[in-house]
Amino acid sequence: MKLAFFDTKPYDIPGFEKNIADKDITVKFYEAKLCLDTVDLAKGFDAICIFVNDTVDKDVIDKLYEYGVKLIALRCAGYNNVDVKYCYKKIHVVHVPAYSPYAIAEHAMALLLTLVRRTHKAYNRVREFNFSLNGFMGFDLHGKTIGIIGTGKIGCVFGDICRGFGMRTIAYDRFPKENSGFEYVTLDELYRQSDIISLHCPLTSETKHMINEEAIKKMKKGVIIVNTSRGALIDADYLIDGIKDRKIGGACLDVYEEEGNVFFNDFSGHIMDDDTLARLISMPNVLITGHQAFLTEDALENIAKTTIDNISAFFGGEGMCENELCYHCGNIEKCQSNRKKKCF
Ligand code: NAI
């Protein structure tokens, strides 16, 4: 079985090498992201392993199909960068539905605490022996209302963390969970009541730019927005307007809509071409990390193990993998939990 990795970073390799050590899998690690320009690298491979910013659109799928690639193994949970519907009947797609919801939820809280208590600024100031506290006024999270959009694996863990801080946790989800500890409200009500809003729903055609001009109008003055899910949930131009109008009190972003051209790379010493990102980075009440929430030893170990298990399950025995995504029944998630055989 020949497997090609795209968008490989040095920290990806050890975990995967460990997990294929006892398997009959030959691996090639490419640094390049998968897109139409690089898809030829997949020639001669049975499977490819991709990450969040590889592009698997119709043109790329046609090429992969032509080259005989049978499996696309996402080494992440989200699959918005793959046209799963177009893959149906051509190439199977597997993902890692859960590797560590704690990694993401803890990072969301780290960002929130940092922004609210200005610890990132204090660190730099103290290193210069400047012990002034001017400009460091924060507020207690205790007693505040946090609105969580998407109460899946990550949203639920984040809710538990927030309740540990003594916060009131309200939530909106298309499929509310019983006994989850959340007070479910409508989206409008969540916007109206929340001091902090944290996004944990997937990026779909329905959720794209859900944080837009209209949504921001409904929010409390001074609201803080946390996004560790996918950048395109937020329309960044309206976010900037909201911050400039002093309507939005701050933003913690681990993801950004146009991150594919920038994140995971060192651009220090270069002129930043993306004016929207440059504007956000320049704002004192915006804290950005470069899609880092997943980066814990525990999460990477789980990602590597589950990805290799997915690939082994698909190519071995009955060729059935419980983490396959498909459009067989028109509902990717439902199909995944009910399926007893391969999708096609
Ligand atoms: P999950 O599938 O367990 O939960 C997603 C929840 O969102 C579900 O409860 C679902 O019902 C809900 N949802 C779906 N459509 C919705 C809508 N229109 N409005 C409100 N809720 C909706 O997913 P999980 O594991 O909690 O991950 C959430 C997201 O976090 C992923 O889709 C991914 O984009 C992102 N993520 C980010 C990472 C990072 O490193 N920053 C790493 C891992 C995931």
Side-chain angles (χ1 to χ4, degrees):
M1 214 291 291
K2 291 171 89 179
L3 171 66
F5 269 69
F6 285 86
D7 199 12
T8 315
K9 299 286 180 230
Y11 48 76
D12 290 320
I13 297 174
F16 277 98
E17 283 187 333
K18 185 177 136 194
N19 278 279
I20 58 162
D22 60 344
K23 304 263 186 327
D24 190 15
I25 300 178
T26 311
V27 187
K28 175 88 183 164
F29 292 105
Y30 292 119
E31 280 182 34
K33 285 194 190 71
L34 177 63
C35 61
L36 196 54
D37 291 340
T38 60
V39 69
D40 285 357
L41 295 170
K43 265 185 193 166
F45 288 92
D46 304 297
I48 57 164
C49 182
I50 62 163
F51 196 48
V52 293
N53 288 318
D54 293 294
T55 306
V56 188
D57 55 17
K58 291 186 176 62
D59 292 339
V60 170
I61 293 164
D62 283 339
K63 288 278 182 192
L64 292 172
Y65 187 51
E66 183 190 323
Y67 299 155
V69 173
K70 291 170 193 65
L71 182 70
I72 298 169
L74 281 144
R75 53 181 192 278
C76 54
Y79 44 85
N80 52 283
N81 53 331
V82 178
D83 190 336
V84 180
K85 192 170 187 175
Y86 194 70
C87 285
Y88 185 49
K89 298 262 172 143
K90 296 185 188 73
I91 305 178
H92 296 262
V93 185
V94 294
H95 75 146
V96 182
Y99 44 86
S100 172
Y102 310 102
I104 323 303
E106 289 171 15
H107 191 75
M109 183 47 92
L111 288 176
L112 179 60
L113 277 174
T114 305
L115 188 81
V116 169
R117 302 307 300 270
R118 312 277 192 265
T119 41
H120 56 316
K121 292 177 182 289
Y123 172 80
N124 286 326
R125 212 180 265 187
V126 167
R127 280 174 66 84
E128 301 207 342
F129 301 97
N130 176 354
F131 300 99
S132 159
L133 299 182
N134 292 336
F136 286 172
M137 184 66 76
F139 62 79
D140 294 3
L141 291 181
H142 185 270
K144 296 294 183 299
T145 297
I146 185 152
I148 295 180
I149 302 179
T151 54
K153 291 171 283 297
I154 297 170
C156 280
V157 172
F158 189 60
D160 289 343
I161 293 173
C162 292
R163 282 186 287 278
F165 275 75
M167 304 174 83
R168 174 177 169 240
T169 54
I170 62 172
Y172 170 75
D173 195 302
R174 283 193 321 173
F175 305 103
K177 277 198 174 61
E178 277 177 35
N179 304 319
S180 59
F182 292 110
E183 187 187 321
Y184 283 99
V185 293
T186 62
L187 203 47
D188 280 1
E189 209 37 50
L190 183 142
Y191 291 147
R192 202 179 64 74
Q193 294 188 28
S194 301
D195 300 298
I196 298 148
I197 294 172
S198 193
L199 307 176
H200 298 287
C201 58
L203 175 61
T204 62
S205 51
E206 192 190 333
T207 59
K208 185 171 180 191
H209 289 182
M210 68 187 298
I211 304 300
N212 54 20
E213 185 180 26
E214 208 186 320
I216 292 169
K217 267 191 201 147
K218 294 174 188 162
M219 294 177 192
K220 260 189 178 178
K221 185 170 163 50
V223 64
I224 290 179
I225 298 176
V226 182
N227 188 8
T228 55
S229 187
R230 285 293 181 265
L233 295 178
I234 297 181
D235 186 323
D237 291 331
Y238 286 117
L239 178 71
I240 290 173
D241 287 348
I243 295 170
K244 283 164 71 182
D245 291 347
R246 312 310 195 252
K247 176 77 189 264
I248 295 173
C252 304
L253 310 174
D254 186 50
V255 284
Y256 169 65
E257 183 166 5
E258 303 299 333
E259 69 178 48
N261 300 325
V262 186
F263 283 14
F264 305 105
N265 292 301
D266 181 359
F267 283 100
S268 55
H270 292 252
I271 306 293
M272 172 53 60
D273 288 326
D274 185 328
D275 289 350
T276 307
L277 181 60
R279 183 71 174 110
L280 284 167
I281 290 172
S282 78
M283 291 173 142
N285 52 352
V286 175
L287 183 59
I288 299 186
T289 49
H291 208 135
Q292 179 190 331
F294 73 98
L295 196 63
T296 67
E297 288 171 5
D298 312 76
L300 286 193
E301 173 57 33
N302 290 339
I303 288 172
K305 184 174 183 320
T306 307
T307 303
I308 297 301
D309 285 352
N310 284 345
I311 294 168
S312 302
F314 182 83
F315 284 99
E318 295 177 9
M320 159 70 196
C321 174
E322 61 173 325
N323 293 327
E324 181 169 0
L325 300 166
C326 100
Y327 261 81
H328 187 62
C329 65
N331 179 333
I332 294 178
E333 306 287 343
K334 192 163 165 252
C335 177
Q336 197 173 330
S337 55
N338 292 345
R339 193 180 44 242
K340 297 276 182 291
K341 56 185 174 57
K342 267 169 95 172
C343 296
F344 58 90

